[in-house]
Amino acid sequence: MSKIQHKYSLKKYNTFGIDVRAHSFVSISKEENLKLILAENKLPLFIISGGSNMLLTKDVEALVIHMNTKGIHAIDKDKNEVLVTAKAGENWHDFVQYCIQNNWGGLENLSLIPGCVGSAPIQNIGAYGVELKDCFVSCKAIHRNTLEEIHFDLNSCHFGYRDSIFKNDIKDQYIITEVTFRLTTKNHQLKTSYGAIENELADQKITSPDLADIANAVIAIRKSKLPDPTIIGNSGSFFKNPIVSKSLYETLIKKSPTLPHYPISDEAVKIPAGWLIDKAGLKGFSKGNAAVHDKQALVLVNKTGNATGKEILALAKFIQTKVETKYNIHLEMEVNVF
Ligand code: EPU
């Protein structure tokens, strides 16, 4: 049985490296223990796996369950595809690397995203033209109160841009215990159209890339602009890229002809939040122990390692106000604030 600890520091369990305490804490490495813990627990619950998409602003008055279950299991579906199931506690990047070593294609563009397999569907992680949903088959989850086990298939997850049913209709009701992906074993559909990947491959003089080449290009791009959370605390993109009306976009592009943008529909356009923050003059800006990363303005960092969650939140609110004043656009936080 897993040991429950009290007044436990969560500094090592969130990638911002914020030092708050959990009322109680337990690390689960066997799925059967999860049910035993849930059956006996009377406290509110707080689930953590990679801790890579959260900002902790105060002590967590709950039983914190750290999902640390491991295991990867593959079933050949046919000559071209494999179904791969990974347990929630598998480190995401290690899992992607394992897939590449086995020549299973689909997740290579999602290399080096911090976090674990179990939390990846919650915000439908995405990067460089690929989202988790593109390879997702199903996930298994346990209901926190009834302990009922359910499989959610692709349709029932309601995936959207950094969004899913787990953030909306059934928020905080289930714990994801494993995720199954459909990956290719041959004729891989490589996604190289994202500009930065093409440039990186060209720089490396690679003309017919394989899975590992794509992964290595993504790793090189990410390393060049995103801070390594094991060195400087951060949570990746802090805000979502806002989707604005066509008319607001047309006003903006008149003033700033180089504005990067991605059409979403006839009426809506997505604008990079990093560009807005950068052009508001805040790239590299710091306030106390918190700062805007100097190579990618969408990322907030725990600059000294001693930032409190409140300091980072204050910086985030300052950014929201500045961008709203300058561009009349509200930046929605991507990171979950507790
Ligand atoms: N830009 C600036 N200044 C900045 C940052 C960005 O001008 O400081 C401009 C860039 O020049 C580019 C545009 O904004 O023209 C977009 O920047 P980038 O390609 O770096 O991507 P992003 O939109 O800022 C999104 C994801 C990232 C993902 C990348 C690559 C969101 C919220 N973020 O960032 O995801 O890695 O695209 O696909 O959608 C994450 O979610 O944690 C994350 C890192």
Side-chain angles (χ1 to χ4, degrees), residues 35-331:
K35 286 196 176 167
L36 297 175
I37 294 278
L38 290 175
E40 284 175 13
N41 175 54
K42 305 263 182 306
L43 291 169
L45 281 180
F46 186 98
I47 315 300
I48 218 165
S49 48
S52 61
N53 201 37
M54 57 175 60
L55 177 62
L56 301 170
T57 62
K58 52 184 184 302
D59 286 346
V60 181
E61 296 303 329
L63 170 64
V64 173
I65 296 186
H66 172 234
M67 288 300 287
N68 197 28
T69 50
K70 306 282 184 201
I72 301 173
H73 177 71
I75 311 165
D76 284 328
K77 198 165 166 284
D78 57 33
K79 291 196 297 292
N80 300 315
E81 286 180 348
V82 59
L83 293 182
V84 183
T85 301
K87 292 285 179 195
E90 285 286 347
N91 172 277
W92 177 262
H93 178 66
D94 293 347
F95 170 60
V96 173
Q97 286 286 303
Y98 183 84
C99 293
I100 292 164
Q101 280 152 19
N102 283 281
N103 193 37
W104 300 332
L107 300 175
E108 53 286 350
N109 293 44
L110 304 180
S111 294
L112 216 61
I113 294 186
C116 291
V117 167
S119 42
I122 299 175
Q123 59 149 346
N124 180 27
I125 58 170
Y128 307 106
V130 174
E131 287 183 328
L132 168 128
K133 72 169 175 48
D134 302 333
C135 298
F136 179 92
V137 175
S138 64
C139 63
K140 192 173 88 176
I142 296 184
H143 193 281
R144 295 177 184 201
N145 299 327
T146 65
L147 309 190
E148 186 193 3
E149 274 185 5
I150 297 199
H151 280 87
F152 291 88
D153 66 9
L154 179 64
N155 284 335
S156 53
C157 287
H158 301 174
F159 287 125
Y161 166 57
R162 298 293 191 277
D163 204 22
S164 76
I165 193 167
F166 301 105
K167 285 174 88 173
N168 296 293
D169 299 2
I170 56 168
K171 187 172 164 45
D172 296 338
Q173 289 184 30
Y174 288 89
I175 300 172
I176 296 174
T177 53
E178 61 181 44
V179 186
T180 300
F181 301 89
R182 177 180 287 109
L183 303 175
T184 49
T185 51
K186 55 169 77 154
N187 303 326
H188 304 302
Q189 305 292 309
L190 301 182
K191 302 241 170 56
T192 56
S193 60
Y194 202 93
I197 295 188
E198 278 174 353
N199 295 342
E200 186 64 36
L201 292 172
D203 284 356
Q204 293 180 25
K205 306 207 176 356
I206 295 170
T207 46
S208 46
D210 60 14
L211 298 176
D213 293 328
I214 303 285
N216 290 337
V218 167
I219 290 168
I221 301 163
R222 290 187 74 96
K223 282 193 170 163
S224 72
K225 52 181 165 182
L226 296 170
D228 178 350
T230 61
I231 297 169
I232 182 157
N234 76 90
S235 227
S237 301
F238 196 90
F239 299 99
K240 287 190 189 182
N241 285 334
I243 294 169
V244 305
S245 67
K246 195 83 186 276
S247 62
L248 177 53
Y249 158 72
E250 275 159 4
T251 318
L252 291 173
I253 196 101
K254 268 187 209 132
K255 284 193 222 151
S256 315
T258 58
L259 171 71
H261 57 277
Y262 319 100
I264 295 291
S265 68
D266 288 347
E267 281 91 46
V269 182
K270 199 194 265 183
I271 310 276
W275 187 92
L276 295 167
I277 300 167
D278 189 347
K279 292 295 173 283
L282 294 175
K283 198 173 188 164
F285 175 80
S286 68
K287 220 173 176 336
N289 296 298
V292 180
H293 187 50
D294 54 4
K295 297 195 187 77
Q296 160 54 292
L298 192 50
V299 178
L300 305 190
V301 296
N302 179 350
K303 192 179 164 194
T304 59
N306 296 319
T308 61
K310 287 193 173 74
E311 270 179 299
I312 291 174
L313 186 60
L315 174 62
K317 289 188 171 159
F318 179 78
I319 292 168
Q320 281 176 322
T321 308
K322 279 270 182 196
V323 168
E324 209 148 344
T325 311
K326 183 157 185 193
Y327 292 105
N328 197 20
I329 295 177
H330 174 72
L331 294 184

